[in-house]
Amino acid sequence: MPLSKRIETAMGQALSLSQDPLAPRKLASALHYATSPGGARIRPTILLSVAMSCGDDRPALASSAAAALELIHCASLVHDDLPCFDNADLRRGKPSLHRAYSEPLAVLAGDSLIILAFEVLARAIPDHPDRAAQLLLSLTHRSGMPGGICAGQGWESEAKIDLSAYHRSKTAALFIAATEMGAIAAGHAPEEWHDLGALIGEAFQVADDLRDALLDEQTLGKPTGQDDLHGRPNAVAQLGVKGALDRLSQILAGAIASIPSCPGEAALARMVSHQAEKIMPSVPAKYRV
Amino acid sequence: MPLSKRIETAMGQALSLSQDPLAPRKLASALHYATSPGGARIRPTILLSVAMSCGDDRPALASSAAAALELIHCASLVHDDLPCFDNADLRRGKPSLHRAYSEPLAVLAGDSLIILAFEVLARAIPDHPDRAAQLLLSLTHRSGMPGGICAGQGWESEAKIDLSAYHRSKTAALFIAATEMGAIAAGHAPEEWHDLGALIGEAFQVADDLRDALLDEQTLGKPTGQDDLHGRPNAVAQLGVKGALDRLSQILAGAIASIPSCPGEAALARMVSHQAEKIMPSVPAKYRV
């Protein structure tokens, strides 16, 4: 089964747990809206790729882990789009959830998706108590406080930001969860997979910074983007466009080099390169060498 | 150790998991603010009382379950107070979390508390895989979709409300979690404890309706309260004050009668009566017999 099919099947099974003819219809529909059609499903793709590199001896467990991680990611997008955060009108080419439904339903949909993620993993405990416990703890650590994506968002309310903690928790945390949980689901130690997730997360951050700067430059004819506007730390502001492009290449090379020795090492390196191509912004001619 | 001390100790241990010198300070402080000083801690008190009636052979597990349940309750209060829901300025006699901190920090604090609740239970899996799995599933079912408190709030966005599903999920769900989880933590079957939780939840609903109607009558000199104002279903509107008082007595008698035969049956009946006294609104003279 191709990875994308495997992820959508797992997402469908997870969502079905939240549906019932006796449930409030709008909230039930909002949960579907928040999770489909999916974006690139990058985090569950990385999770399953790592699981496969580690032998994927419990494929149903790995698929559940992939769905749980993606549910947390979808929940974070719904809450991040709320008026009190990004106040975003659009998400994945359609109205954001609070625009399409309402703000109360967006808060509740996010809450429900978080809870659903843990239900999916809790159901795996009877068959795989040790691995399920580790999966649950990896996911809680990488999503909550003090070091998960909630902490990452929380940094934006501080007068003085610890930049390294900010990036590690805001962007990298769910990529670290992806590599850790992929390893755990296949019975491997998560520790040696930490750096791959952290480096992929860092690459995403720099690619995002480049998109933010270049998109604005191309469309508005000036080099200031959203990060600049909000005074947010940004690799382009620090290093310039060429410097940030170099940094991105270095990080990706480091990510590939960090892959632990395993049967699927070469396939995993290809996956990382493939994901990197997808996130690389199109660069105006003047920056090309 | 008195129950209240046991609950505060468990809450303190749970909260400490979310704290770290490297975490964003305001969000870390908001988690304390949302959970202390506690309200009546009724749900964890019921949970531990049921566990003790069932022998409480794994007290650390029962205490963790009590903290997890209270964390979910605290999270729901923070999110329910948000401007898009109740827009409440006060909670437990102090400014609501979004007034004291900010709306972004209130959304994040609620999310973090939900995740923390599941972390507390996940940590219990290695020592008690079977019971921890059941505890996790009871808590996800009673808090998320399709039948937990998220569903209960979700009903308020529907044009046509299924009243029975609304009350069962909005108010009763966490009381059912309290009795079920108390039984599970002590190794008993949760099913026979379901009705006690459901009936306590129903009693709370009617007591709330009475407070809503009577408080307004005493302070504003008219019998219409918030429920009436928002067109919400209300036992007083349906049955009148005397009828609602009778109904409350009947439900409490039913709750006590529903307690399964167990060593701590008498003590548990006393606990229910004691909690009932605390929730009973003070009734104006003209309604007294």
Side-chain angles (χ1 to χ4, degrees), chain A residues 22 25-26 79 111 157-158, chain B residues 25-26 79 111 157-158:
Chain A
L22 293 177
R25 281 172 53 193
K26 284 184 197 165
H79 280 185
D111 292 354
S157 293
E158 296 293 323
Chain B
R25 283 172 52 194
K26 286 184 195 163
H79 280 184
D111 292 355
S157 293
E158 296 291 323

Side-chain angles (χ1 to χ4, degrees), chain B residues 185-223:
Chain B
H188 283 231
E191 293 77 15
E192 58 187 36
W193 290 92
H194 174 280
D195 289 358
L196 175 61
L199 287 163
I200 296 176
E202 206 180 330
F204 261 74
Q205 186 61 53
V206 175
D208 235 31
D209 291 354
L210 276 160
R211 261 196 305 272
D212 184 70
L214 293 174
L215 198 74
D216 215 70
E217 188 171 72
Q218 285 171 300
T219 54
L220 297 182
K222 61 189 174 87

Side-chain angles (χ1 to χ4, degrees), chain A residues 17-20 22-28 31 72 79 82 84-85 102-105 107-108 111-112 114-115 118-119 122-123 125-126 129 132-133 136-137 139-141 143-146 149-155 157-159 162 165 168, chain B residues 17-20 22-28 31 72 79 82 84-85 102-105 107-108 111-112 114-115 118-119 122-123 125-126 129 132-133 136-137 139-141 143-146 149-155 157-159 162 165 168:
Chain A
L17 299 174
S18 72
Q19 308 287 313
D20 186 287
L22 293 177
R25 281 172 53 193
K26 284 184 197 165
L27 181 54
L31 299 187
I72 291 284
H79 280 185
L82 284 171
C84 70
F85 290 108
S102 69
E103 213 180 316
L105 285 169
V107 174
L108 292 173
D111 292 354
S112 303
I114 295 172
I115 295 164
F118 295 113
E119 177 175 352
R123 285 172 170 260
I125 301 172
L136 276 158
L137 289 177
L139 193 56
T140 57
H141 290 168
S143 31
M145 274 280 281
I149 49 173
C150 286
Q153 278 290 93
W155 275 112
S157 293
E158 296 293 323
D162 176 335
R168 199 168 51 234
Chain B
L17 299 174
S18 72
Q19 308 288 314
D20 187 286
L22 292 176
R25 283 172 52 194
K26 286 184 195 163
L27 181 54
L31 299 186
I72 291 284
H79 280 184
L82 284 169
C84 70
F85 290 108
S102 68
E103 211 178 319
L105 285 169
V107 173
L108 292 173
D111 292 355
S112 303
I114 295 172
I115 295 164
F118 295 113
E119 178 177 351
R123 285 171 170 261
I125 300 172
L136 275 158
L137 289 176
L139 193 56
T140 57
H141 290 166
S143 33
M145 274 280 280
I149 50 173
C150 286
Q153 278 289 93
W155 275 111
S157 293
E158 296 291 323
D162 177 333
R168 198 168 49 235

